[in-house]
Amino acid sequence: MALYHFEVTQISRGRGQTAVASAAYRAGERLHDSYYNEDPDYRRKGGVLHSEVILPAHAPRRLSDRETLWNEVESAEKHPRAQLAYSFDVAFQNELSFEENLALARRFIAENFTARGMIADLACHDPHKDDDIKNPHFHVLCPIRPLNPDGTWGMKQRREYALDENGERVRDRNGKLVYNAVATTNWGTPETLLAWRENWARLVNEAFEKKGIAERVDHRSYEDRGINLIPTVHEGPAVRAMEARGIRTDVGDWNRLIRKANALLHSLKGSVKALADWISELRKRIAELKEDERLARLESQTLASVLCGYYERRNAGAYSNKARVNNLKQQARAIDFLHANGISSLGDLDKKVKATYSEVSRACAEVRELDDEVSLIEKTLSLTEKLAKGKPVYDALRGIRRKSESDAFKELHRAELTSFYAARRELGEIYPNGIPDETELRKRLASLREKRQPLYSAYKKLKEEAGAAYAIKKAIQADYEKAMRERGEDKLRKGEER
């Protein structure tokens, strides 16, 4: 049966991983790691059928040597938690020969990686043994840091500094320059990953069609395909069953909090960015029409007076006492926001909103890093659980000497053995230097969750500030539209007088 598996993770020092050890494990080689002064040796590892480093056209030939390549990657990264490489784990197809699978992998790399200037370290595995179930696959390691046209290592991201109306760099309340970190490539975007997944499925299906094989693979998730299956990696069947019966669990509560917090952050980032863009565009329009006193006044008058005038007009036309009370509450919150942040003019508001956007962006990056580590620990614990569950079946299989009985036993327990071998392989790839202690992992997971909990309160505060800024936006917008109407009426009158 055709199998689609295409997984991308990152090799990161923050997870205790090294690029050299990861490459040595995948290639089944002994490599010297200059950064850590170690010699990870995986020459006794079985199942490695082929490995090679594939370079883009502009890469110097020296990087075709695996040890040189990954030591340069390690040397180029200075941060102790640096992200080093993208790691791809892709299933080969049992319906195709190894030569056909290898040709497919090389074509995929050429069209999707080296064509973008990426270096690809390819390793093909087939861990099949007498007691194992066939599971051929290939790995690709690609440095995250791009290579410049001259063969030197480039930057992973660049800074875009926030500027005020005079083109000067903006500083936050602590005196630090406000900026956004912008990736120099699109390799890590969800859109690029989706394209890669789709392209691999297309190549496999083309190969199947050429051979007259009716099977097809699909890169889409169960959810995208309308198949009502729920992943069991994080919550597990026991937790899901309890939640389905209306019994709240710690894991379920935690996942609900994460989804809620992430949705809040995502929404907040978009709304603050839209608000910053609106203010910048408005100030640009006012500057273009600065000869008009009404519009010039919008830039110079205090926002507190704009708010008071706006809510006075709203209350004058309010239909109920409840509406008037709500207007006064909104006005009070907006005024408090202005006073608390020392904002008096439109220029001040512009700086504050841009600083808030930078703060939200940093929060998003912090949460992403924290959640990545949580996900890795949860995945590790899930895999160790699968390993422990399948080990009695595996041990029983090892004790059977007659081949006919062994084959019958394997067929009977195919699902348990497949899960056991997959868990063993994945754990070996994530932790080539040995699986961390489970007790320590659980302690670390609890620590990360405690760290995540108070962050949600910080996001809510940012959301409240954004809400106050939006209330001020309404007032400014109303004044701007009023000034533009008066300007149009003036023009009309002058035309009639002529």
Side-chain angles (χ1 to χ4, degrees), residues 5 17 41 64 95 99 103 191 221 275 327 333 345 356 360 362 412 458 498:
H5 176 77
Q17 300 166 313
D41 189 351
S64 61
E95 292 82 357
E99 290 73 19
E191 294 78 14
S221 66
L275 182 57
N327 285 336
R333 281 196 294 267
S345 67
T356 301
V360 173
R362 281 196 295 271
L412 183 63
R498 291 195 190 99

Side-chain angles (χ1 to χ4, degrees), residues 90-147:
V90 186
F92 275 145
Q93 302 303 314
N94 287 323
E95 292 82 357
L96 304 177
S97 68
F98 171 70
E99 290 73 19
E100 289 168 330
N101 274 315
L102 177 58
L104 215 57
R106 283 172 168 163
R107 181 182 167 190
F108 176 79
I109 289 169
E111 293 177 358
N112 295 275
F113 295 161
T114 54
R116 293 174 180 262
M118 301 171 74
I119 299 172
D121 188 354
L122 168 68
C124 304
H125 292 184
D126 186 359
H128 179 64
K129 302 173 186 175
D130 290 340
D131 65 341
D132 211 339
I133 292 171
K134 196 167 179 63
N135 180 28
H137 56 276
F138 71 94
H139 299 273
V140 183
L141 283 179
C142 297
I144 294 177
R145 186 175 291 274
L147 197 68

Side-chain angles (χ1 to χ4, degrees), residues 161-174:
Y161 288 94
L163 303 177
D164 62 18
E165 66 275 15
N166 300 317
E168 300 292 329
R169 290 180 178 178
V170 176
R171 295 182 182 273
D172 62 19
R173 66 186 68 177
N174 297 317

Side-chain angles (χ1 to χ4, degrees), residues 4 6-8 88 108 112-113 116 186-202 218-221 224-225:
Y4 185 89
F6 189 109
E7 184 180 27
V8 188
F88 297 83
F108 176 79
N112 295 275
F113 295 161
R116 293 174 180 262
N186 65 350
W187 302 345
T189 65
E191 294 78 14
T192 300
L193 173 57
L194 180 61
W196 283 335
R197 290 176 58 82
E198 187 174 0
N199 290 343
W200 175 247
R202 177 179 52 79
D218 197 319
H219 70 284
R220 295 172 298 169
S221 66
D224 291 339
R225 287 152 63 187

Side-chain angles (χ1 to χ4, degrees), residues 256-274:
R256 275 185 286 275
L257 174 66
I258 292 301
R259 283 192 289 269
K260 189 176 179 182
N262 287 349
L264 188 156
L265 261 186
H266 179 75
S267 170
L268 187 58
K269 189 174 182 181
S271 62
V272 174
K273 177 69 166 63

Side-chain angles (χ1 to χ4, degrees), residues 265 358-368 455 459 462:
L265 261 186
S358 181
E359 196 174 342
V360 173
S361 297
R362 281 196 295 271
C364 286
E366 179 184 2
V367 167
R368 188 163 52 246
L455 290 178
Y459 309 155
L462 288 171

